[in-house]
Amino acid sequence: MAQRGRAHPHAAGDDPPPRRERARTLGDVEKEHILAALTRHGGNQTRTAAELGIGVSTLYRKLKEYGRAPAG
């Protein structure tokens, strides 16, 4: 009896597909978004926080987590 259903995606002798790089996490995307906004605003944290809809203290905490908090 013939087997029904989907054929195996990798027939015998085929090489497996190349491994993908690690998927970006939500944290990765958030960091990129925050740093891009900070760049757009020339490093001004007040304007950056306003654009992102977060408080300045939240932005500062995030930047500190990223090792990007200003000295002082």
Side-chain angles (χ1 to χ4, degrees), residues 2-5 10 17 19-20 23-24 32 40 43 46 50 54-55 62-64 66 72:
Q3 186 177 13
R4 293 184 184 210
H10 306 293
R19 291 188 149 228
R20 294 184 188 183
R24 290 178 15 192
E32 291 170 14
R40 278 194 303 278
T46 302
I54 61 176
K62 296 280 187 186
L63 293 174
K64 188 174 179 181
Y66 308 151

Side-chain angles (χ1 to χ4, degrees), residues 8-37:
H8 191 276
H10 306 293
D14 287 349
D15 291 329
R19 291 188 149 228
R20 294 184 188 183
E21 291 186 30
R22 175 182 75 83
R24 290 178 15 192
T25 65
L26 181 57
D28 294 338
V29 174
E30 178 186 69
K31 179 179 178 179
E32 291 170 14
H33 187 64
I34 288 171
L35 295 178

